[in-house]
Amino acid sequence: MSDALTMAGRSVRLSARTPDALFTALAMPVMLMLVFVYFFGGAIETGGKYVQYVVPGVLVLCAGFGAGNTAMSVANDMRGGIIDRFRSMDVGGTAILAGHVVASVVRNLAATAVVFGVAAAIGFRPQASAYGWLAAVGVLVCYVVALSWLSAAVGLIAKSPEAAGGVTFFIAFLPYPSSGFVQIGTMPSWLRGFAEHQPLTPVIESMRGLLLGRRVGDDPWLALAWCAGITVVSVAAAGVLFRRRTH
């Protein structure tokens, strides 16, 4: 645990030293939210103010952008000689990767705070109880952890940081064919099945329902099941890939 926290502190400091990447990760979701609300929101029917509908999707999209930074950071470590130095200091692979994941969660929480601030300024009015806020944040953190471990595994597969960023682009694309920005019922039938059953839809629907004080049904449990499954598979894959890359 001590090694993981040390590695997390290192990753956070590295993020602070690359302000351009940090600014992109913070600003891009905000810019997309403004584009959707002010450019397309008037043409998209969701049964209420569009800003109330779109914020959970933007939060998930924000996590996708943050995942790209995680994958590139891992790939950059693997390409350089820093891993050999860590291993000579008896720092295990789990601690190194966990440090990247913890730093990713910290970055995403900061980005989430920025998105919420801008959303409130343009009319987002959550109606959640204290329990609803806690549950919504819990679902989001679980999703960020799962996505960060998946991105760490991608970073271990990729041969360069640029390739890692390219792969995670597809992860960042997943919020679009979901309920994040438009209602699934408006999609073509061939796309509707995928949008209904992909992992991001229950995550988004859980946060939307919890933040707006609506009934959420089984969505939170489905979201947590998806997150747990992705995390378990990604942690196992990352462990195997790290051993192969360092032996």
Side-chain angles (χ1 to χ4, degrees), residues 10-27:
R10 167 184 174 266
S11 296
V12 170
R13 288 192 296 272
L14 289 175
S15 297
R17 293 171 186 170
T18 54
D20 52 343
L22 187 60
F23 175 78
T24 300
L26 293 174

Side-chain angles (χ1 to χ4, degrees), residues 222-243:
L222 290 173
L224 293 176
W226 272 110
C227 292
I230 293 170
T231 302
V232 170
V233 172
S234 299
V235 170
V240 172
L241 291 167
F242 187 87
R243 288 192 293 272

Side-chain angles (χ1 to χ4, degrees), residues 52 116 120 123-128 133 210-213:
Q52 296 287 94
F116 266 123
F124 180 62
R125 298 294 180 266
Q127 302 172 8
W133 275 105
L210 291 166
L211 290 174
L212 299 181

Side-chain angles (χ1 to χ4, degrees), residues 102-170:
V102 172
S104 175
V105 173
V106 172
R107 289 194 300 265
N108 273 282
L109 290 177
T112 297
V114 172
V115 170
F116 266 123
V118 175
I122 63 176
F124 180 62
R125 298 294 180 266
Q127 302 172 8
S129 62
Y131 165 78
W133 275 105
L134 184 62
V137 172
V139 170
L140 180 61
V141 170
C142 288
Y143 173 69
V144 170
V145 170
L147 192 59
S148 298
W149 274 109
L150 177 60
S151 299
V154 169
L156 292 168
I157 295 172
K159 300 300 182 182
S160 69
E162 294 77 14
V167 173
T168 53
F169 167 80
F170 294 99

Side-chain angles (χ1 to χ4, degrees), residues 70-212:
T70 303
M72 289 188 287
S73 297
V74 172
N76 191 57
D77 277 356
M78 299 306 296
R79 187 173 65 171
I82 191 67
I83 296 298
D84 292 334
R85 184 175 181 182
F86 287 150
R87 288 175 64 81
S88 70
M89 299 167 62
D90 199 28
V91 178
T94 301
I96 296 171
L97 297 176
H100 283 288
V101 171
V102 172
S104 175
V105 173
V106 172
R107 289 194 300 265
N108 273 282
L109 290 177
T112 297
V114 172
V115 170
F116 266 123
V118 175
I122 63 176
F124 180 62
R125 298 294 180 266
Q127 302 172 8
S129 62
Y131 165 78
W133 275 105
L134 184 62
V137 172
V139 170
L140 180 61
V141 170
C142 288
Y143 173 69
V144 170
V145 170
L147 192 59
S148 298
W149 274 109
L150 177 60
S151 299
V154 169
L156 292 168
I157 295 172
K159 300 300 182 182
S160 69
E162 294 77 14
V167 173
T168 53
F169 167 80
F170 294 99
I171 299 175
F173 178 77
L174 278 178
Y176 294 102
S178 72
S179 63
F181 301 100
V182 298
Q183 293 180 335
I184 292 177
T186 65
M187 296 179 181
S189 57
W190 58 269
L191 182 59
R192 197 176 304 152
F194 174 79
E196 288 176 345
H197 298 100
Q198 68 136 310
L200 271 64
T201 292
V203 172
I204 293 169
E205 288 299 318
S206 297
M207 290 194 296
R208 182 177 290 131
L210 291 166
L211 290 174
L212 299 181

